[in-house]
Amino acid sequence: MNKEELKEKYGKKRVPHQWRGTDFISAQICTFFGSGMSPKAPGTMGSLAAAIVAYPMALLFSKCPCLDISIPLGNLTINFAFLAAALIVFFAAIPFVKKAMNDTQTEDPGWIVIDEVCGIFMTFAFVSSSALLAAPWLLAIGFGLFRFFDILKPLGIHKFEAFPGAWGVMADDLLGGVYAGILMGVIAAITF
């Protein structure tokens, strides 16, 4: 066999990925800096990356009193820094998600994981930064709760996917984050 025949028979075939069909900035934002490029479970990888990033964010928020604004609401706590982060990601990502979907001619592809990032940040908006720092295992609980709501889409979450275009991609995860966050807040209230 010559070199070309060997390459064709045993060579690793390069499978084009859809995210290559959009510009670099949109790809980086939509895949949350590559975590959505995982060939297996990109949504889980994007959620995991966001949960990992949430810890240094909580550390930063706790060090800056102007950012660490948590208000008790009954037994729950609203962490305005994570709430703001979730809403900023939500609205800032819409044009990039829209462009990426238009460029690649896809509807809510798995490699777009910025919606999972938004949902994870919303999950932690119901827990104070000090609670996340005191009990880092809450990050794992929040990750698991969010993935539950993101995958199964109970309690009307699936209806939010029907919103047009990028709004539907982002909105269902934001609502999933709200539900996961309420449960996180209850767990944190019981723990602390």
Side-chain angles (χ1 to χ4, degrees):
M1 292 184 134
N2 66 25
K3 188 176 181 180
E4 290 300 315
E5 290 171 330
L6 285 171
K7 185 177 179 181
E8 184 162 333
K9 185 172 183 180
Y10 298 108
K12 193 173 188 178
K13 295 196 175 22
R14 189 174 177 104
V15 179
H17 297 286
Q18 290 175 331
W19 48 264
R20 289 190 177 124
T22 191
D23 64 283
F24 179 77
I25 300 293
S26 295
Q28 292 303 307
I29 289 170
C30 290
T31 64
F32 194 55
F33 306 103
S35 60
M37 295 176 187
S38 171
K40 298 206 188 236
T44 300
M45 293 300 123
S47 299
L48 182 61
I52 290 169
V53 167
Y55 187 81
M57 285 173 66
L59 192 59
L60 174 70
F61 298 155
S62 69
K63 297 286 185 201
C64 299
C66 61
L67 295 176
D68 193 24
I69 302 169
S70 296
I71 296 178
L73 186 68
N75 288 335
L76 295 177
T77 299
I78 303 297
N79 184 331
F80 282 97
F82 273 108
L83 178 64
L87 294 177
I88 289 168
V89 168
F90 180 86
F91 288 109
I94 294 285
F96 294 102
V97 171
K98 182 179 180 181
K99 183 177 184 335
M101 290 192 322
N102 286 339
D103 289 349
T104 59
Q105 297 298 305
T106 56
E107 283 293 320
D108 199 2
W111 53 269
I112 293 181
V113 297
I114 194 68
D115 53 334
E116 273 83 7
V117 175
C118 174
I120 285 286
F121 290 169
M122 183 57 81
T123 299
F124 297 130
F126 291 84
V127 181
S128 69
S129 297
S130 57
L132 287 174
L133 295 173
W137 53 267
L138 285 172
L139 295 166
I141 299 290
F143 167 80
L145 287 171
F146 173 72
R147 289 308 291 155
F148 169 79
F149 285 105
D150 187 35
I151 292 168
L152 297 181
K153 301 190 186 314
L155 305 170
I157 295 172
H158 67 281
K159 291 179 182 174
F160 278 63
E161 285 182 312
F163 289 179
W167 293 98
V169 172
M170 298 296 293
D172 68 317
D173 290 273
L174 188 67
L175 182 59
V178 169
Y179 289 149
I182 290 170
L183 287 177
M184 275 290 297
V186 170
I187 291 168
I190 290 169
T191 305
F192 296 98

